[in-house]
């Protein structure tokens, strides 16, 4: 097994971080560079810029998490992509190597969704145990680390053709808050990373390194600290605990299927909102018969994936949306709380360009014939946007262990059940109408509404809650039931907000690392 960084004995109790994406990579960096020994277990390979294939489907097959998963529910993804509920990455750096780079913050009311929205039938709303005011210094730190454009003196991204159509339509439709960011892609060199060359490939692995990811920043710096060891191709399969109720080790498989055991002083799980609850559920024991840290029966529940949808507009003149960054424009007017629209929560509109191969697969899954070829024939004349907003947490939207289907290791495959809430459906309809108004104001000949893709924003499933009965984690992402067990990814989100979640995941991980270090310093862990 090839490892990287300082060799740490398996019998030495250290902080074990499971996953190396936005949350895992960040907390590993924050701890290791402050003198805390860390072992990072990453299920995927260590791909670097030289390894990336800038070709959509080969790159997808190189990076995506394609282990067996099953789905159910009324949402369309269950029909169109029954074994691909989420489009996330299985490699060092996790989905930060695939993400588009958008870094808006949550707004104050989104940390208090239950208080603001009131009772919403069928939704399991809750206020976060933290506020925007508490998060603001961590947002500042995260934005500086990631190099968010439009923030802290960072220059804006240049406008590409897709944005110019988007912005012109927004202005004519009466919107006021639109810009080319914030995005964590460099418009000029910053923090050792170059400026973007506008090559259009940031879903397929960023060869230039202009886009922030834990692959290019946090992981290398953690390894350079001399306090971290990275073990790629290491699939965590169980977290064990001692008679004192504290976790004491993580068992994992190497690429040959050999079982290893790393002793743990504390464990930070950051496998994403599907793999994190799966691992906790697989770590059941006589003391935790329903899964580790699951006395609330909330592990796996309240899975969210954000309201999403896309709109692709056809114009008489060429747009060539593929020139420039994949996503580099945002309209924020609809992100506000305004229940007069017929729903609670809000949404953003963000520019998006898929290449011809992806567009053919996702623009209208299952379609065929003249209508489909007309969409593809218009590719060079097409502009695109993504619609992303807050979906309602529901207890029945849930990650469970499939009782019948196993993965390649013989372990229970995760099963994802999801139904859209009526509020989600009302918001999506409003967002499609908004997209129509923008593109028609810019002179579009027609607008096609594309259904949600496999989820890239996977949230909830191990939410933070002040009351242990409402969620498995406290306000630090620390398990109510197990004091040295933490969750460090988007699973912790109490509600989803409208904003792309990576900035918030990074800010929360920085905050959690600070708390964990203090617990280690004072001997509480």
């Amino acid at each position: 097994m090839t490892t990287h960084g300082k060799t740490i004995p398996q019998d030495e109790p250290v902080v074990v971080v499971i996953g190396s994406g936005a949350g895992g990579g960040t907390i590993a960096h924050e701890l290791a560079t402050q003198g805390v020994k860390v072992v990072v277990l990453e299920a995927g390979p260590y791909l670097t810029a030289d390894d990336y294939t800038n070709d959509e489907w080969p790159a997808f097959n190189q990076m995506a998490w394609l282990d067996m998963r099953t789905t159910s529910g009324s949402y369309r993804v269950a029909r169109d992509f029954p074994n691909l509920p989420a489009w996330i990455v299985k490699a060092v750096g996790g989905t930060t190597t695939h993400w588009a780079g958008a870094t808006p913050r949550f707004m104050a009311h989104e940390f208090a969704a239950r208080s603001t929205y009131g009772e919403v039938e069928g939704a399991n709303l809750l206020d976060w145990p933290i506020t925007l005011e508490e998060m603001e210094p961590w947002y500042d730190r995260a934005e500086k680390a990631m190099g968010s454009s439009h923030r802290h003196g960072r220059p804006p991204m240049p406008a590409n053709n897709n944005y110019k159509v988007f912005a012109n339509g927004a202005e004519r439709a009466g919107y006021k808050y639109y810009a080319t960011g914030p995005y964590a892609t460099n418009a000029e060199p910053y923090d050792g990373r170059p400026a973007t060359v506008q090559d259009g490939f940031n879903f397929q692995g960023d060869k230039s390194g202009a886009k922030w990811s834990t692959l290019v920043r946090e992981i290398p710096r953690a390894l350079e600290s001399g306090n971290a060891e990275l073990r790629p191709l290491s699939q965590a399969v169980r977290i064990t605990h001692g008679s004192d109720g504290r976790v004491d080790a993580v068992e994992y498989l190497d690429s040959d299927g050999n079982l290893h055991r790393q002793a743990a002083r504390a464990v930070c799980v950051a496998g994403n909102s599907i793999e994190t609850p799966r691992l906790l559920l697989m770590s059941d024991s006589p003391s935790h018969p329903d899964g580790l840290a699951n006395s609330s029966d909330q592990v796996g529940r309240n899975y969210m994936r954000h309201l999403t949808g896309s709109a692709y507009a056809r114009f008489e003149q060429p747009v060539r949306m593929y020139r420039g960054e994949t996503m580099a424009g945002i309209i924020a007017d609809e992100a506000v709380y305004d229940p007069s629209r017929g729903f609670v929560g809000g949404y953003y509109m963000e520019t998006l360009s898929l290449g011809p191969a992806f567009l053919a697969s996702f623009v209208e899954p299952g379609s065929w014939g003249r209508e489909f070829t007309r969409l593809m024939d218009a590719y060079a004349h097409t502009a695109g946007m993504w619609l992303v907003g807050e979906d309602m947490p529901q207890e029945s939207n849930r990650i469970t262990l499939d009782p019948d289907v196993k993965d390649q290791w013989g372990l229970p495959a995760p099963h994802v059940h999801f139904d859209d809430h009526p509020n989600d459906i009302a918001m999506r309809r409003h967002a499609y109408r908004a997209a129509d108004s923008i593109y028609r104001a810019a002179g579009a000949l027609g607008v096609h509404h594309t259904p949600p893709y496999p989820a890239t924003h996977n949230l909830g499933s191990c939410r933070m809650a002040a009351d242990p009965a409402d969620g498995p984690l406290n306000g630090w992402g620390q398990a109510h039931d197990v004091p040295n067990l933490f969750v460090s990814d988007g699973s912790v989100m109490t509600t989803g907000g409208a904003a792309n979640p990576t900035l918030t995941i990074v800010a929360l991980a920085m905050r959690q690392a600070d708390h964990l270090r203090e617990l280690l310093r004072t001997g509480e862990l």
Side-chain angles (χ1 to χ4, degrees), residues 69-80:
R69 288 171 171 165
T70 56
T71 55
S72 62
S74 58
Y75 75 143
R76 186 166 163 177
V77 170
R79 184 193 79 184
D80 293 337

Side-chain angles (χ1 to χ4, degrees), residues 87 92 103 107 119 125 187 222 225 242 268 328 365 377 384 395-396 427 450 490:
W87 181 355
V92 172
T103 58
M107 292 178 281
E119 180 72 26
L125 286 167
S225 74
C268 299
D377 286 344
E395 277 203 331
S396 56
M427 186 189 293
T450 291

Side-chain angles (χ1 to χ4, degrees), residues 18 237-239 247 267 269 274-285 288-294 299-300 401 461-462 472-473 479 482 485-487 491:
I18 301 169
V237 297
R238 175 176 287 273
I239 302 170
V247 295
V267 174
V269 189
I274 296 176
E275 292 301 318
T276 289
R278 180 196 186 202
L279 179 60
L280 297 182
L281 294 172
M282 289 196 303
S283 300
D284 60 337
S285 71
H288 299 272
D290 297 319
L292 188 61
N294 194 25
V299 170
L401 302 180
S461 78
C462 292
L473 308 174
V482 185
L485 175 65
F486 296 80
V487 174
S491 309

Side-chain angles (χ1 to χ4, degrees), residues 337-352:
Y337 173 60
D338 178 9
S340 70
R341 294 173 297 180
F343 54 86
V344 298
Y347 64 89
Y348 290 93
M349 293 173 272
E350 300 172 352
T351 59
L352 175 67

